[in-house]
Amino acid sequence: MIKVEKLNKSFGNLHVLKDIDMTVKDSEVVCLIGASGSGKSTLLRCLNYLEFKDSGLVIIGGEQIEKETHDLNKVRARVGMVFQHFNLFPHKTVIENVIEAPIYVKKISKEKAIIEAKALLKKVGLSDKENVYPSKLSGGQKQRVAIARALAMKPEIMLFDEPTSALDPELVGEVLATMKELAEEGMTMIVVTHEMGFAREVADWAVYMHEGRIVEVGHPKELFSNPKEKRTKNFLDSVL
């Protein structure tokens, strides 16, 4: 579903991603772990074309994507993204947030968008909040609206950039439960997370990144209990 080859990205003199190679198959869940500043979020943003790579290949669904030759809005519709800080439109109700992109990007009718949005809000357990403004929601509810909004574009892949790190601890579970349900339904997902329990339970692969490089890849249970690289072990000792 996603293949990355020799991906590099710099910001000025700061070389953030260094020769990243990664393959994610259809319906796989991959968790990216590592310290802050290791390049995890930048990698996600390059897959969604919110940042543009300096070199290397990004292949999505067998198609090599280049900013010069592709409609990036269509690419972003295929690759949904959920951010750390929700990014909901504060002046729009929950359902207005969810229908916005399908209507304006995918050009579907408002009537159809509303029907689909209601189904998605039911899916994330927020049917009773459709006419509420984001300011009246908890952090966990806002993040579940953000997930519904991303799903409204019917993406092939979902990217999650630390989706629970801005939440109070008691609200983390409801968001992880929604993500777990998506995984069980076969959604291809790449998740930047510090929630090691979620990675251990849900991920097919965990990828440890350090200073812009992929250091180690493995099944979470194996990686967490028996890391092969000293840097991986040091990181896991600090968070587990």
Side-chain angles (χ1 to χ4, degrees):
M1 185 59 80
I2 288 186
K3 189 174 179 67
V4 176
E5 294 182 356
K6 295 286 179 282
L7 186 70
N8 284 272
K9 174 66 182 177
S10 295
F11 296 100
N13 294 325
L14 185 63
H15 195 174
V16 178
L17 296 177
K18 303 167 184 173
D19 289 333
I20 297 292
D21 290 320
M22 188 171 73
T23 299
V24 181
K25 295 178 182 174
D26 190 23
S27 297
E28 282 189 335
V29 178
V30 174
C31 283
L32 304 182
I33 62 172
S36 296
S38 57
K40 307 181 302 295
S41 295
T42 301
L43 175 55
L44 283 199
R45 293 173 72 86
C46 286
L47 297 179
N48 190 254
Y49 285 82
L50 294 171
E51 301 287 356
F52 299 125
K53 63 186 170 62
D54 295 331
S55 63
L57 298 180
V58 176
I59 299 164
I60 297 173
E63 184 179 6
Q64 184 177 323
I65 307 295
E66 299 292 349
K67 67 179 181 180
E68 296 81 10
T69 56
H70 287 78
D71 180 339
L72 295 183
N73 282 331
K74 289 183 178 176
V75 174
R76 293 183 191 116
R78 295 170 64 190
V79 185
M81 188 152 179
V82 176
F83 300 88
Q84 185 176 343
H85 292 292
F86 328 127
N87 295 350
L88 299 178
F89 298 116
H91 60 291
K92 292 183 181 291
T93 63
V94 163
I95 198 160
E96 287 170 343
N97 266 278
V98 178
I99 66 175
E100 179 91 356
I103 290 173
Y104 290 101
V105 179
K106 288 201 139 182
K107 310 296 185 190
I108 73 171
S109 70
K110 185 175 182 179
E111 293 74 17
K112 185 180 180 190
I114 288 173
I115 290 168
E116 292 179 353
K118 284 176 181 283
L120 287 169
L121 290 173
K122 183 178 180 182
K123 180 186 186 72
V124 300
L126 291 173
S127 291
D128 60 332
K129 302 294 185 186
E130 64 178 60
N131 295 314
V132 171
Y133 286 91
S135 62
K136 303 296 186 187
L137 300 177
S138 71
Q141 289 169 333
K142 289 177 186 175
Q143 195 59 292
R144 284 185 284 151
V145 173
I147 292 171
R149 182 176 64 176
L151 291 173
M153 295 297 283
K154 298 188 171 71
E156 300 163 30
I157 301 148
M158 285 282 281
L159 309 177
F160 293 86
D161 190 6
E162 298 192 34
T164 60
S165 63
L167 302 179
D168 293 331
E170 69 271 18
L171 302 176
V172 168
E174 63 192 55
V175 174
L176 293 181
T178 299
M179 294 169 61
K180 185 177 175 183
E181 187 179 322
L182 284 179
E184 288 168 350
E185 291 171 0
M187 175 63 76
T188 307
M189 296 161 57
I190 305 177
V191 184
V192 172
T193 187
H194 296 292
E195 299 291 339
M196 298 300 159
F198 173 82
R200 189 189 296 268
E201 184 180 357
V202 179
D204 296 290
W205 301 100
V207 176
Y208 171 61
M209 292 183 65
H210 178 74
E211 294 183 351
R213 297 187 188 277
I214 290 177
V215 173
E216 188 166 351
V217 179
H219 188 279
K221 289 174 181 161
E222 177 67 20
L223 189 85
F224 291 172
S225 61
N226 189 29
K228 294 180 175 60
E229 299 288 336
K230 189 171 191 300
R231 283 176 296 182
T232 313
K233 184 179 187 307
N234 290 343
F235 171 73
L236 291 171
D237 285 346
S238 72
V239 298
L240 291 178

